[in-house]
PDB file of all heavy atoms in Angstrom:
ATOM      1  N   LEU A 453      18.660  34.593   8.629  1.00 97.00           N
ATOM      2  CA  LEU A 453      18.930  34.969  10.018  1.00 97.00           C
ATOM      3  C   LEU A 453      20.443  34.960  10.290  1.00 97.00           C
ATOM      4  O   LEU A 453      20.937  35.903  10.928  1.00 97.00           O
ATOM      5  CB  LEU A 453      18.195  33.966  10.926  1.00 97.00           C
ATOM      6  CG  LEU A 453      18.366  34.177  12.422  1.00 97.00           C
ATOM      7  CD1 LEU A 453      17.926  35.559  12.849  1.00 97.00           C
ATOM      8  CD2 LEU A 453      17.613  33.108  13.191  1.00 97.00           C
ATOM      9  N   THR A 454      21.111  33.965   9.816  1.00 97.00           N
ATOM     10  CA  THR A 454      22.606  33.899  10.048  1.00 97.00           C
ATOM     11  C   THR A 454      23.285  35.033   9.373  1.00 97.00           C
ATOM     12  O   THR A 454      24.178  35.685   9.938  1.00 97.00           O
ATOM     13  CB  THR A 454      23.137  32.547   9.518  1.00 97.00           C
ATOM     14  OG1 THR A 454      22.529  31.463  10.221  1.00 97.00           O
ATOM     15  CG2 THR A 454      24.660  32.470   9.707  1.00 97.00           C
ATOM     16  N   ALA A 455      22.848  35.351   8.135  1.00 97.00           N
ATOM     17  CA  ALA A 455      23.507  36.465   7.367  1.00 97.00           C
ATOM     18  C   ALA A 455      23.244  37.779   8.048  1.00 97.00           C
ATOM     19  O   ALA A 455      24.166  38.647   8.143  1.00 97.00           O
ATOM     20  CB  ALA A 455      22.950  36.482   5.952  1.00 97.00           C
ATOM     21  N   LEU A 456      22.067  38.027   8.594  1.00 97.00           N
ATOM     22  CA  LEU A 456      21.744  39.271   9.249  1.00 97.00           C
ATOM     23  C   LEU A 456      22.554  39.435  10.552  1.00 97.00           C
ATOM     24  O   LEU A 456      22.940  40.535  10.933  1.00 97.00           O
ATOM     25  CB  LEU A 456      20.230  39.388   9.556  1.00 97.00           C
ATOM     26  CG  LEU A 456      19.357  39.624   8.335  1.00 97.00           C
ATOM     27  CD1 LEU A 456      17.905  39.361   8.707  1.00 97.00           C
ATOM     28  CD2 LEU A 456      19.506  41.067   7.900  1.00 97.00           C
ATOM     29  N   GLN A 457      22.760  38.354  11.267  1.00 95.00           N
ATOM     30  CA  GLN A 457      23.498  38.439  12.486  1.00 95.00           C
ATOM     31  C   GLN A 457      24.958  38.835  12.218  1.00 95.00           C
ATOM     32  O   GLN A 457      25.645  39.362  13.152  1.00 95.00           O
ATOM     33  CB  GLN A 457      23.440  37.049  13.215  1.00 95.00           C
ATOM     34  CG  GLN A 457      22.095  36.756  13.797  1.00 95.00           C
ATOM     35  CD  GLN A 457      21.985  35.304  14.271  1.00 95.00           C
ATOM     36  OE1 GLN A 457      22.647  34.416  13.781  1.00 95.00           O
ATOM     37  NE2 GLN A 457      21.143  35.104  15.276  1.00 95.00           N
ATOM     38  N   GLN A 458      25.461  38.568  11.035  1.00 95.00           N
ATOM     39  CA  GLN A 458      26.818  38.852  10.689  1.00 95.00           C
ATOM     40  C   GLN A 458      26.926  40.226   9.920  1.00 95.00           C
ATOM     41  O   GLN A 458      28.028  40.642   9.609  1.00 95.00           O
ATOM     42  CB  GLN A 458      27.406  37.758   9.836  1.00 95.00           C
ATOM     43  CG  GLN A 458      27.452  36.434  10.502  1.00 95.00           C
ATOM     44  CD  GLN A 458      27.809  35.288   9.609  1.00 95.00           C
ATOM     45  OE1 GLN A 458      27.983  35.470   8.406  1.00 95.00           O
ATOM     46  NE2 GLN A 458      27.980  34.089  10.196  1.00 95.00           N
ATOM     47  N   ASP A 459      25.821  40.831   9.679  1.00 95.00           N
ATOM     48  CA  ASP A 459      25.774  42.106   8.894  1.00 95.00           C
ATOM     49  C   ASP A 459      25.817  43.280   9.834  1.00 95.00           C
ATOM     50  O   ASP A 459      24.842  43.453  10.631  1.00 95.00           O
ATOM     51  CB  ASP A 459      24.548  42.122   7.981  1.00 95.00           C
ATOM     52  CG  ASP A 459      24.608  43.208   6.939  1.00 95.00           C
ATOM     53  OD1 ASP A 459      25.132  44.314   7.259  1.00 95.00           O
ATOM     54  OD2 ASP A 459      24.132  43.010   5.847  1.00 95.00           O
ATOM     55  N   GLU A 464      19.838  43.598  15.987  1.00 97.00           N
ATOM     56  CA  GLU A 464      18.721  42.834  16.519  1.00 97.00           C
ATOM     57  C   GLU A 464      18.036  43.597  17.659  1.00 97.00           C
ATOM     58  O   GLU A 464      18.676  44.091  18.564  1.00 97.00           O
ATOM     59  CB  GLU A 464      19.284  41.494  17.055  1.00 97.00           C
ATOM     60  CG  GLU A 464      18.202  40.530  17.583  1.00 97.00           C
ATOM     61  CD  GLU A 464      18.770  39.248  18.049  1.00 97.00           C
ATOM     62  OE1 GLU A 464      19.602  38.638  17.325  1.00 97.00           O
ATOM     63  OE2 GLU A 464      18.378  38.797  19.196  1.00 97.00           O
ATOM     64  N   ARG A 467      13.822  39.045  20.031  1.00 97.00           N
ATOM     65  CA  ARG A 467      14.001  37.654  19.670  1.00 97.00           C
ATOM     66  C   ARG A 467      13.156  36.778  20.584  1.00 97.00           C
ATOM     67  O   ARG A 467      13.096  36.986  21.815  1.00 97.00           O
ATOM     68  CB  ARG A 467      15.467  37.230  19.779  1.00 97.00           C
ATOM     69  CG  ARG A 467      15.669  35.712  19.531  1.00 97.00           C
ATOM     70  CD  ARG A 467      17.155  35.347  19.804  1.00 97.00           C
ATOM     71  NE  ARG A 467      18.021  35.843  18.785  1.00 97.00           N
ATOM     72  CZ  ARG A 467      18.412  35.146  17.717  1.00 97.00           C
ATOM     73  NH1 ARG A 467      17.975  33.890  17.563  1.00 97.00           N
ATOM     74  NH2 ARG A 467      19.207  35.603  16.824  1.00 97.00           N
ATOM     75  N   PHE A 474      14.809  42.762  13.339  1.00 97.00           N
ATOM     76  CA  PHE A 474      16.042  43.574  13.098  1.00 97.00           C
ATOM     77  C   PHE A 474      15.621  44.970  12.679  1.00 97.00           C
ATOM     78  O   PHE A 474      14.598  45.178  12.060  1.00 97.00           O
ATOM     79  CB  PHE A 474      16.899  42.936  12.012  1.00 97.00           C
ATOM     80  CG  PHE A 474      17.578  41.665  12.381  1.00 97.00           C
ATOM     81  CD1 PHE A 474      16.948  40.433  12.156  1.00 97.00           C
ATOM     82  CD2 PHE A 474      18.840  41.663  12.945  1.00 97.00           C
ATOM     83  CE1 PHE A 474      17.567  39.278  12.511  1.00 97.00           C
ATOM     84  CE2 PHE A 474      19.486  40.482  13.281  1.00 97.00           C
ATOM     85  CZ  PHE A 474      18.840  39.285  13.085  1.00 97.00           C
TER      86      PHE A 474
END
Side-chain angles (χ1 to χ4, degrees):
L453 179 58
T454 300
L456 286 166
Q457 290 171 332
Q458 299 171 355
D459 192 323
E464 183 178 314
R467 174 186 288 265
F474 290 90

